[in-house]
Amino acid sequence: MKHLIVLTGVLLLLITSCKTSEEKLVEKALKIHEKATTIDSHTDTPMLFTREDFDVSVRHDPYESSTKVDFPRMKEGGLDGIFMAVFIGQGSRDSLGHARANAKANQIFDSIYSVVGRNTEIAEIALTSDDIYSIEKEGKRAVYMGIENGYALGGDLSNVEVFYKRGARYITLCHTKNNDICDSSTDSLEHNGVSPFGKTVITEMNRLGMLIDVSHISDKAFYDVIEQSTAPVIASHSSSRVICDSPRNLTDEMLKKLAKNGGVAQVCILSSYVKKTPTNPQADSMRMAIREKYKNYENLSDDQQKEAGQAWRSINKLFPPVLATVQDVVDHIDHMVEIAGIDHVGIGTDFDGGGGVDGCFDVSELPNITIELVRRGYSEEEIIKIWGGNFLRVLKANETLASK
Ligand SMILES: [Zn+2]
């Protein structure tokens, strides 16, 4: 028996030493990934909740279903916590538009609570920076909520607290168009940064301990926020402009300011913000035609919105876009860490809002980012910071500053 044990030991040793260095690297990375408390600070998954063919408790094929997140794939990808965005596209800024935006936001909150409520054995709503740890211990997924586009406030400051009480822990101040709060990075100059109303929103968010999200806002609005905010801020899904030139990405100067503010920039893995890749003219013109047909998206009926979504997905199936890769994503992380420091970088995928690259096409493939980080020499401690440590530190700081 003793001989057998020794022999088995020797054999095991042999098998282990037969592993290629690549296999060892992957093994090491997966261990770190498993150990880390991982959080994705931005997904648009609630947009799927109105689709009849989508059940978040069931595993979907990302290519067949054009979906990037569901609870089984979250588990597979080792993702412990997720921010589900209450996304409101920018519509008209009059009383009717504001009322619609506010009502729609409330509807989306309802849908998140109802989806999580139907899946209490796999997921739980998370509200504080500590919640993720206790929910993770129960083997469940933590679902945080953030609002994408302050337009959801409907121009009413008191709604900041209403939404905080509903569970929102950040507000992305605007989306692709200007709103009453500030200018967008992808629109023309209107307020020259943050508006007077926007300033009151920032003060109120600081008071409550709600994270201010600077993704999507114009450069000047970014600097206005940094100057005014008394708490560290986040960019829930923004990459590096030096690595990929897009107004949606952060310049080095912005990254430095963000680090000085104590905040965190969460790398976005939406391919066109990661790397410019060749496009297909035929597909482009078909996409243009859809944009033209369904413009003023926010004013479309639910059925028309579904129709637009289907048309968009069918083009993507016909002409799969050439995507950036996991290596390209980690090029952003490398640069952002170099400029802002290891304590100020994280990950916000934008899954189900356009996010996904080759090698990390959906949430189940997140460990591939960790593998690449290990390959580039990041330590376990550094990876744990990137995967959530930094973000949770900022959330905690906001909680603490609010209760003072
Ligand atoms: Zn976005």
Side-chain angles (χ1 to χ4, degrees):
M1 188 63 187
K2 199 177 161 195
H3 287 292
L4 191 66
I5 292 168
V6 173
L7 191 67
T8 320
V10 170
L11 270 174
L12 269 175
L13 206 71
L14 267 174
I15 293 167
T16 326
S17 60
C18 283
K19 273 188 188 151
T20 63
S21 55
E22 176 65 16
E23 282 167 338
K24 282 186 198 155
L25 186 145
V26 169
E27 198 175 291
K28 180 183 170 189
L30 295 182
K31 263 192 198 145
I32 295 174
H33 194 81
E34 178 62 37
K35 189 174 170 187
T37 297
T38 52
I39 188 160
D40 179 344
S41 59
H42 192 88
T43 70
D44 284 304
T45 306
M47 297 227 286
L48 307 175
F49 297 166
T50 51
R51 268 173 62 178
E52 285 105 20
D53 61 343
F54 182 79
D55 176 350
V56 75
S57 67
V58 173
R59 192 189 194 289
H60 300 75
D61 178 282
Y63 300 95
E64 277 305 305
S65 66
S66 296
T67 68
K68 306 293 175 81
V69 176
D70 50 46
F71 291 139
R73 278 183 287 168
M74 261 182 89
K75 193 170 182 182
E76 221 174 291
L79 185 63
D80 302 308
I82 189 167
F83 265 86
M84 293 202 175
V86 173
F87 164 68
I88 304 293
Q90 189 60 48
S92 63
R93 285 155 58 187
D94 48 25
S95 54
L96 181 66
H98 279 147
R100 286 173 74 148
N102 190 253
K104 178 91 187 276
N106 277 300
Q107 250 174 44
I108 301 171
F109 275 104
D110 290 344
S111 74
I112 298 172
Y113 276 103
S114 113
V115 158
V116 175
R118 284 199 301 271
N119 293 283
T120 46
E121 69 294 346
I122 31 178
E124 211 172 303
I125 295 284
L127 299 171
T128 72
S129 55
D130 287 334
D131 284 352
I132 189 170
Y133 298 105
S134 52
I135 295 171
E136 184 189 4
K137 272 201 195 102
E138 293 171 49
K140 297 185 193 178
R141 312 292 125 193
V143 176
Y144 288 93
M145 290 167 285
I147 293 173
E148 184 171 31
N149 196 354
Y151 179 49
L153 298 175
D156 183 348
L157 187 66
S158 67
N159 278 327
V160 178
E161 186 163 5
V162 171
F163 285 134
Y164 182 83
K165 286 184 173 157
R166 289 220 72 181
R169 288 300 172 263
Y170 70 66
I171 299 178
T172 316
L173 297 181
C174 71
H175 191 237
T176 53
K177 295 265 184 298
N178 299 341
N179 62 16
D180 289 349
I181 296 173
C182 65
D183 291 340
S184 167
S185 61
T186 45
D187 200 351
S188 53
L189 203 76
E190 179 186 335
H191 309 288
N192 189 29
V194 174
S195 73
F197 173 66
K199 291 201 163 81
T200 64
V201 170
I202 292 169
T203 305
E204 178 68 350
M205 289 176 76
N206 280 165
R207 182 183 75 81
L208 292 163
M210 202 170 184
L211 297 168
I212 297 164
D213 179 13
V214 298
S215 285
H216 282 291
I217 75 176
S218 74
D219 290 12
K220 176 62 169 52
F222 167 88
Y223 290 114
D224 286 353
V225 169
I226 293 286
E227 200 181 298
Q228 193 196 332
S229 177
T230 52
V233 306
I234 61 160
S236 72
H237 57 307
S238 291
S239 303
S240 154
R241 204 178 297 175
V242 164
I243 303 295
C244 180
D245 189 14
S246 159
R248 271 287 285 112
N249 288 337
L250 303 166
T251 65
D252 285 0
E253 198 192 336
M254 288 159 97
L255 284 167
K256 281 179 196 158
K257 283 267 182 200
L258 193 63
K260 220 172 155 198
N261 157 276
V264 64
Q266 305 279 106
V267 173
C268 178
I269 73 166
L270 193 145
S271 184
S272 59
Y273 302 154
V274 175
K275 193 180 189 175
K276 302 276 174 237
T277 55
T279 53
N280 179 316
Q282 199 186 343
D284 283 350
S285 64
M286 286 170 83
R287 287 192 183 97
M288 279 278 273
I290 290 182
R291 274 202 197 98
E292 194 50 39
K293 185 173 173 194
Y294 297 102
K295 64 181 173 197
N296 301 323
Y297 185 81
E298 271 315 298
N299 298 327
L300 301 176
S301 69
D302 285 353
D303 281 344
Q304 286 170 316
Q305 287 191 359
K306 269 183 208 164
E307 214 177 273
Q310 267 163 10
W312 195 261
R313 289 194 294 276
S314 67
I315 296 179
N316 285 345
K317 267 188 188 166
L318 264 176
F319 304 97
V322 179
L323 296 175
T325 65
V326 168
Q327 286 74 28
D328 297 325
V329 169
V330 181
D331 286 349
H332 282 264
I333 297 182
D334 276 349
H335 181 76
M336 289 161 79
V337 166
E338 192 191 321
I339 300 299
I342 189 68
D343 293 320
H344 304 284
V345 180
I347 295 164
T349 60
D350 213 359
F351 280 146
D352 295 321
V357 294
D358 196 15
C360 191
F361 191 66
D362 74 357
V363 68
S364 72
E365 295 190 313
L366 287 178
N368 288 338
I369 295 179
T370 309
I371 292 170
E372 186 61 21
L373 288 169
V374 169
R375 197 187 311 285
R376 298 200 190 184
Y378 286 84
S379 70
E380 177 178 306
E381 195 195 344
E382 290 171 331
I383 292 170
I384 287 173
K385 283 181 178 184
I386 292 171
W387 263 122
N390 291 335
F391 183 91
L392 292 166
R393 179 199 74 232
V394 175
L395 182 56
K396 184 149 205 120
N398 275 258
E399 290 163 358
T400 313
L401 286 165
S403 55
K404 267 183 188 165

